[in-house]
Amino acid sequence: MPEHAQAGHAGAAPAHDHVVPVSTYVMVFLALMVGTGLTVAASYVDLGIWNTPVAMLIAVTKACLVVLFFMHLKYSPKLLWVWVGAAIFFLAQLIVGVGADYLARVFLNLGNPGT
Amino acid sequence: MSSLSETAHGPGAHPPVLRHHFESLLNQKESSLLGMWVFIAQEILFFGGMLTAYTIYRNLYYEGFAAGSHHLDVTLGTVNTAVLICSSLTMALGVHAAALGKRKMTVLFLLLTIALGSVFLGIKVVEYADKFHHHLVPGPGFSAESLRDAHGQPVLDGSDTARHAQMFFALYFSLTGLHALHMIIGIPIIAWMARAASQGRFGPVYYTPVEITGLYWHFVDIVWIFLFPLLYLIPHHA
């Protein structure tokens, strides 16, 4: 089994079939475990307003490791990257858009819509 | 393996796993992967609606959310996070074994993934039972009496903090429930893949179903990576 099967478009084996070595999976696994420990440890330290950003930064890092290596995005066609990017963009739009509306209500004294 | 292609196109025309409407195996595999990633993009927005509600209400009702979050068992949450990461590793190794055509290893890793997923769900049952026991399930029976505020004082029923904590538990059950539902759907699919693998249906040329099942399982892992700090680790201060 070649590490890179560089077959042409009509070849029998898919061209982007990149067989990731087991050691890579184990390294990613260990990083994810360390990240989990860091998240819990950081939550017991008073970082003021930074507790949540730190927790989210670790979570995003862990998610990137899973997507790139476990889900093979690193070795996948750019078309798939576009779809992942689009999904993240839409999610950000959803949260930022709705959040901006609620913030504006507070600034304009339109009353708290949540009560 | 080759009887289909022989009857359709003569010997060696193309591998039998290649459907006729695809140009090549690569074309077929990339189409399948694209389909799965589009589904995952949709899933991100499916969870995204609830995550948006969480973001808004956590900022509006911070004290209630912190009080609710502090009732959750960080130890069980941490153990479950580790269990799910382990199951992601065994899933990745299962896909790896399938790509190399190692039949027994594929089945073994897929069964390990099912076992770890079941442990996660079992721990979730213990946690849910605790919420029922303490009347923390949103609805007419909800009581905030077991909750403590930032000063260690009991949260009085009927107070704003109690109402806001109820919103926290509504989102807790919605988010973790939807996540658990994804696992309950995923486990039989992995079992189906293990059965197909044991029948020798996968090898280096064709293992797309295992890979796509892996994508789904890893996505469910990622959701939990975010849910764990968002639900279990809300600090009392700030």
Side-chain angles (χ1 to χ4, degrees):
Chain A
M1 185 68 200
E3 285 289 295
H4 299 262
Q6 293 290 353
H9 196 65
H16 65 269
D17 243 23
H18 182 107
V19 176
V20 183
V22 170
S23 59
T24 304
Y25 291 129
V26 173
M27 289 298 286
V28 169
F29 166 76
L30 291 175
L32 292 173
M33 285 302 208
V34 169
T36 303
L38 274 179
T39 307
V40 176
S43 77
Y44 287 102
V45 182
D46 187 349
L47 301 171
I49 59 162
W50 292 102
N51 273 98
T52 303
V54 165
M56 286 300 98
L57 184 70
I58 298 172
V60 167
T61 307
K62 288 167 73 182
C64 285
L65 286 173
V66 173
V67 168
L68 287 173
F69 296 100
F70 281 0
M71 296 172 89
H72 300 156
L73 190 67
K74 188 171 187 288
Y75 318 101
S76 296
K78 289 291 174 277
L79 179 61
L80 299 187
W81 289 69
V82 173
W83 270 95
V84 175
I88 294 167
F89 177 72
F90 284 137
L91 178 64
Q93 258 194 332
L94 181 65
I95 293 177
V96 171
V98 178
D101 178 55
Y102 272 79
L103 270 177
R105 284 161 195 267
V106 174
F107 287 138
L108 299 174
N109 284 320
L110 294 176
N112 182 348
T115 51
Chain B
M1 271 291 270
S2 61
S3 61
L4 251 179
S5 66
E6 277 166 18
T7 51
H9 302 285
H14 68 63
V17 288
L18 178 62
R19 306 280 168 94
H20 284 178
H21 48 279
F22 291 110
E23 214 173 82
S24 65
L25 272 176
L26 171 66
N27 178 226
Q28 174 173 290
K29 181 172 184 177
E30 288 190 343
S31 301
S32 301
L33 289 178
L34 177 61
M36 195 61 201
W37 277 102
V38 171
F39 174 72
I40 289 172
Q42 171 279 136
E43 289 273 84
I44 290 173
L45 292 171
F46 187 14
F47 280 95
M50 259 187 253
L51 287 174
T52 306
Y54 170 91
T55 308
I56 300 295
Y57 284 117
R58 173 173 159 159
N59 283 290
L60 288 174
Y61 303 156
Y62 193 85
E63 278 175 37
F65 270 55
S69 175
H70 274 249
H71 183 88
L72 301 186
D73 192 323
V74 176
T75 307
L76 287 182
T78 308
V79 169
N80 249 356
T81 307
V83 167
L84 211 50
I85 290 172
C86 288
S87 83
S88 247
L89 175 68
T90 55
M91 187 76 227
L93 294 175
V95 174
H96 181 80
L100 296 179
K102 294 179 179 170
R103 189 194 292 199
K104 280 183 183 168
M105 293 296 271
T106 308
V107 175
L108 174 72
F109 281 124
L110 291 179
L111 292 180
L112 271 174
T113 308
I114 292 172
L116 288 163
S118 305
V119 169
F120 179 97
L121 288 172
I123 291 177
K124 211 72 218 138
V125 167
V126 172
E127 291 190 80
Y128 273 18
D130 170 81
K131 306 300 168 284
F132 277 89
H133 178 74
H134 286 100
H135 304 283
L136 289 169
V137 181
F142 183 84
S143 168
E145 277 171 20
S146 61
L147 303 180
R148 296 291 175 271
D149 66 14
H151 310 290
Q153 298 301 311
V155 176
L156 299 176
D157 279 330
S159 66
D160 276 354
T161 307
R163 289 194 305 119
H164 299 167
Q166 186 165 198
M167 179 62 90
F168 170 81
F169 280 105
L171 284 164
Y172 167 80
F173 278 105
S174 309
L175 282 163
T176 59
L178 186 63
H179 177 264
L181 179 65
H182 275 77
M183 297 190 62
I184 291 167
I185 293 168
I187 287 173
I189 295 175
I190 298 173
W192 177 23
M193 288 304 125
R195 184 167 174 272
S198 74
Q199 292 167 343
R201 303 236 315 260
F202 306 121
V205 172
Y206 180 73
Y207 60 97
T208 311
V210 188
E211 183 157 13
I212 282 178
T213 306
L215 289 180
Y216 176 84
W217 194 256
H218 296 311
F219 166 76
V220 173
D221 184 26
I222 289 174
V223 171
W224 185 259
I225 283 174
F226 284 97
L227 291 188
F228 173 56
L230 288 177
L231 295 172
Y232 288 74
L233 305 174
I234 303 180
H236 258 316
H237 48 81

